[in-house]
Amino acid sequence: MKKAIFIISTLALFLFVQQTTAQKSKDIVDIAASVDDFSTLVTAVKAADLVGALKGEGPFTVFAPVNSGFAKIDSKTLNSLLEPANKEKLSAILTYHVVSGNLMATDVVNALKKGKGKVELTTLNGGKLTAMNRNGGIYLKDANGNYSKIAKTDVVASNGVIHVIEDVVMPN
């Protein structure tokens, strides 16, 4: 019995390492494009002409909203943002989801401990996001006072890390 548990544990660890290694060879855009729940995000990144930037060397920390987060935005507003005329505004929103550097979950947790439950992050568009402990989880608070829960952390890419969030955060 112990031998069977050891073999299963070893196999599970091997598969996890293989998956992690495979992800590390992909950049942020490649990983996002491979996840169905990021299809709206990928469409927006393409519309804002940010693919090249997010395929860059980095490192970047991306707080990536899932499709259900984008679905909370009025469809007329979202469709308008995806139009070429609003490329600059869409780019400002998307770069508000990106922080320079490789900010892993442990880094956020340690910063929250030092900051008494809050830490301010400067985004690539120059705006501020506040990470905070709230309702038993870690949330981002945007410039408008809205919250988005960090649902999954530390999806490691070759040029940074992705943290999955439940809502789109908005700059002023």
Side-chain angles (χ1 to χ4, degrees), residues 26 30 64 83 93 104 111 117-118:
K26 293 181 177 182
D30 292 338
E83 293 175 3
I93 292 168
M104 303 299 286
K118 289 184 180 181

Side-chain angles (χ1 to χ4, degrees), residues 77-90:
T77 301
L78 182 58
N79 288 333
S80 173
L81 285 169
L82 295 173
E83 293 175 3
N86 292 316
K87 182 174 151 181
E88 190 174 309
K89 185 172 184 175
L90 180 60

Side-chain angles (χ1 to χ4, degrees), residues 35-61:
V35 177
D36 289 341
D37 210 16
F38 289 147
S39 61
T40 307
L41 174 62
V42 171
T43 298
V45 167
K46 288 177 182 176
D49 199 22
L50 291 174
V51 172
L54 291 175
K55 281 185 153 295
E57 188 176 319
F60 305 108
T61 298

Side-chain angles (χ1 to χ4, degrees), residues 109-171:
V109 169
N110 290 336
L112 287 171
K113 286 178 185 175
K114 289 180 185 175
K116 298 181 183 170
K118 289 184 180 181
V119 63
E120 195 170 84
L121 306 171
T122 302
T123 67
L124 285 189
N125 83 350
K128 303 287 184 195
L129 281 172
T130 304
M132 59 180 35
N133 290 317
R134 184 172 192 249
N135 300 330
I138 297 177
Y139 286 75
L140 296 178
K141 181 179 175 186
D142 68 18
N144 301 300
N146 300 308
Y147 295 91
S148 180
K149 184 177 184 180
I150 300 176
K152 183 177 180 183
T153 61
D154 295 346
V155 180
V156 178
S158 62
N159 62 343
V161 62
I162 299 170
H163 302 297
V164 181
I165 60 174
E166 295 179 350
D167 298 283
V168 177
V169 289
M170 297 294 242

